[in-house]
Amino acid sequence: MLTIRATARRAVLLTLTGLLALGGTPPVVATDTPVPREDIYRSLKVDDVPAAYVVLVDVSSSMQDKGPDGVPLYTTVKRRLAGFLDSLTPADQVAVVTFGRATGVVHPMSPANRTEGLFDKELPGTARESASDHGAALDAAADQLDRSTAPVGAVLMLTDGAVNAPGSPYARLGSPAWQRLRERFTALDTDRRIMGYGLPLAEGTGVSEVLGGAFGAPRILPVDPTALGSQLSAAKDQVRTQKAVSLLRADQGNTVGVSVAGEGVRRADGGQVTVRTGDRTGERTRTLDVTLVSKARHVPLDVRLTGTGGTGGARVTSTGPAGPVTLEPGEKKTVRVTLTWRQEPRFSLVPGSRDYEGRVGLRAAVSSPWTSTIRGSLGEAEFSTDAPAVTELDLRGTVPGRTPGWLLPLVLLVLLLGAAAAWRGHKRRNPRLTGVLIVTDLRTGNRQEIPLHGREVTRETDAGQVRARVTVRGRQEAGRLTLVLRCERDAPRPGGERLRDTGTCELGKSTVLCGIGFSHETESEAAVLL
């Protein structure tokens, strides 16, 4: 089946290649070459990171059956297991557990380079057990993993048969014993990565269900005893990947620290950066020293500095490297950027200084040359070096207050319009006078005419025995026009006081003030008050 699938995949690739050649469409070439996985491993020194392996070897009598190559399965297991243990690093740890009717820890958890007596003294010479208790073997594996503090653990189960454990609490999959076993491995996987690998040596082992009872997602390799050595290597490679991932997770979400220094730069306790801009006007620039500090422990970072937004005519232009700033883990670098802004005089009705305020953001976009490899071949699809860090720069200074050139004409126009409105109101309140005011001495009947003109008339009168000063003006009352009269008369008798009175005279009517009769005459009533 594997051969047929591989052949089919090669056929599809050849067909696609031919179609591309016929269509004349060149293949797409990635512009950024991913960092090789081995380079990342070397940089991380994954071989110095310990992994705890627990190898579970089935020693039931069926393991003496011969495989496709004519060699007993148990012999093949010991041979390939020896090569696998030799390939582990000195930092790795190994425990070997045999299981049949009984379970035995033939090699407790210890450094992988101390297994010299495993095959001569510890492992049984032949497989002779009459049953296979897979659950008890997994329980013993959990005991061995408890003895290790390695960040990565792997359980490798090599078996040729299904669960056959009469009288064991693990005889039936899904029993309470299996549920407790599942809970135990879940707890082990809380603070570190524990993986389960099934290496079936014959058909019908049910190893997928067995390991699935203890692990959430076990890895089951194909049934092929002749390929056992390469399968063990594949498991080791996946464990090696998890070693790298265990280190890289410390840098998940890490970003860079950004600090700004330079002339007039102050940093408040809350982290806000203020730049004092002075009191000069026009185009202004300021060179700032921006220090970038990598907080990553393992991952190299690329940082691109750009300006974001801007108020008060401010913007940021970089004078540093054209490309990104590369930071090794924990490295600190200082680059220079140029802050540019324009300060213009502010509107003011009176001379004096006015506050200038502006703001611009300094954006540090963080990426890593490792990201594509980590998300791809290492399988950490969510890995990220965090969102861009934005440092807000508040600009503070002063500018002169300046009256705009259009303000004086506007003020004059407003004054003229106000004066015109006031004059119109004055005319409405003081209409123009016409006609004649008749002043009559009520005792003698003598009369005197006072011609009315303009908006106010003041006249001395001497009608008969009357000596008086009369002032006349017009007024609107409830939409009607009337004369407003003010009279000051000499004392009628010697030694008396002057008489003073004020009143109104409606059109066509008469009135008496200070003992003097007043009436108004005109040819046209409509023309009395204008």
Side-chain angles (χ1 to χ4, degrees), residues 118-134:
L118 176 64
F119 300 97
D120 296 335
K121 302 176 182 178
E122 298 168 349
L123 277 173
T126 58
R128 299 179 181 275
E129 293 287 331
S130 59
S132 298
D133 193 347
H134 297 67

Side-chain angles (χ1 to χ4, degrees), residues 5-6 25 39 121 176 186 230 243 347 384 389 396 438 446 463 495:
R5 290 178 178 172
T25 304
D39 289 354
K121 302 176 182 178
T186 300
S230 60
K243 290 182 180 182
F347 170 81
S384 172
R396 295 286 186 269
I438 306 299
N446 292 335

Side-chain angles (χ1 to χ4, degrees), residues 2 22 28 56 61 65 129 155 188 193 200 207 216 260 280 300 318 331 370 378 402 419 458 475-476 479 506 508 530:
L2 292 175
L22 290 174
V28 177
L56 307 180
S61 57
D65 295 343
E129 293 287 331
V155 177
L188 285 171
R193 187 75 173 96
V207 70
V260 182
R280 294 172 53 192
S318 175
E331 186 179 10
W370 288 9
L378 298 190
R402 178 179 295 175
T458 300
R475 187 175 70 187
Q476 293 185 1
E506 297 184 8
L530 302 177

Side-chain angles (χ1 to χ4, degrees), residues 8-302:
R9 285 197 295 269
R10 286 195 294 270
V12 171
L13 290 174
L14 289 173
T15 302
L16 290 175
T17 304
L19 290 174
L20 288 173
L22 290 174
T25 304
V28 177
V29 179
T31 55
D32 295 329
T33 303
V35 177
R37 183 170 58 177
E38 287 298 325
D39 289 354
I40 294 178
Y41 287 167
R42 281 192 295 271
S43 180
L44 293 175
K45 298 180 180 179
V46 294
D47 290 340
D48 294 339
V49 178
Y53 292 90
V54 181
V55 183
L56 307 180
V57 181
D58 188 348
V59 292
S60 61
S61 57
S62 60
M63 286 288 287
Q64 292 299 132
D65 295 343
K66 293 182 178 181
D69 56 356
V71 178
L73 296 177
Y74 186 60
T75 301
T76 299
V77 166
K78 290 196 292 183
R79 184 183 303 164
R80 299 307 179 195
L81 187 57
F84 168 72
L85 296 179
D86 287 342
S87 69
L88 299 182
T89 70
D92 291 330
Q93 303 166 6
V94 175
V96 180
V97 177
T98 59
F99 66 97
R101 179 174 295 278
T103 300
V105 180
V106 297
H107 185 84
M109 187 67 71
S110 59
N113 58 359
R114 298 181 185 176
T115 59
E116 59 277 356
L118 176 64
F119 300 97
D120 296 335
K121 302 176 182 178
E122 298 168 349
L123 277 173
T126 58
R128 299 179 181 275
E129 293 287 331
S130 59
S132 298
D133 193 347
H134 297 67
L138 288 170
D139 190 47
D143 290 339
Q144 294 302 306
L145 290 172
D146 273 336
R147 300 177 59 177
S148 172
T149 58
V152 180
V155 177
L156 285 70
M157 177 171 280
L158 292 82
T159 182
D160 73 331
V163 174
N164 177 22
S168 169
Y170 300 102
R172 182 175 58 85
L173 290 174
S175 66
W178 278 99
Q179 294 174 9
R180 289 191 295 272
L181 189 62
R182 176 68 173 267
E183 293 171 357
R184 188 173 185 189
F185 275 100
T186 300
L188 285 171
D189 197 46
T190 301
D191 298 325
R192 48 182 170 161
R193 187 75 173 96
I194 306 296
M195 298 169 290
Y197 291 90
L199 293 92
L201 303 173
E203 299 289 350
T205 62
V207 70
S208 177
E209 292 77 11
V210 170
L211 287 179
F215 297 91
R219 295 163 172 80
I220 308 303
L221 302 179
V223 179
D224 189 359
T226 60
L228 183 58
S230 60
Q231 291 178 347
L232 288 169
S233 295
K236 182 192 70 175
D237 289 342
Q238 292 182 17
V239 171
R240 196 168 180 232
T241 297
Q242 290 304 315
K243 290 182 180 182
V245 169
S246 69
L247 297 174
L248 293 171
R249 284 175 180 161
D251 290 343
Q252 173 71 21
N254 265 299
T255 183
V256 296
V258 181
S259 61
V260 182
E263 181 185 352
V265 175
R266 295 179 182 176
R267 190 179 187 94
D269 293 338
Q272 188 64 40
V273 179
T274 301
V275 181
R276 304 305 302 180
T277 65
D279 58 0
R280 294 172 53 192
T281 58
E283 191 81 12
R284 305 291 310 281
T285 60
R286 181 75 56 78
T287 299
L288 304 177
D289 293 326
V290 180
T291 301
L292 307 173
V293 181
S294 170
K295 296 181 181 179
R297 296 174 58 187
H298 307 288
V299 177
L301 301 176
D302 290 335

Side-chain angles (χ1 to χ4, degrees), residues 346-408:
R346 293 293 176 88
F347 170 81
S348 177
L349 295 177
V350 296
S353 297
R354 295 292 179 267
D355 291 336
Y356 167 78
E357 295 183 359
R359 171 174 286 191
V360 71
L362 187 63
R363 183 177 186 269
V366 185
S367 62
S368 174
W370 288 9
T371 299
S372 61
T373 303
I374 295 171
R375 291 179 177 177
S377 60
L378 298 190
E380 285 293 287
E382 301 299 324
F383 181 82
S384 172
T385 50
D386 209 357
V390 177
T391 302
E392 298 289 350
L393 305 178
D394 281 338
L395 310 180
R396 295 286 186 269
T398 58
V399 291
R402 178 179 295 175
T403 303
W406 48 264
L407 183 59
L408 182 58

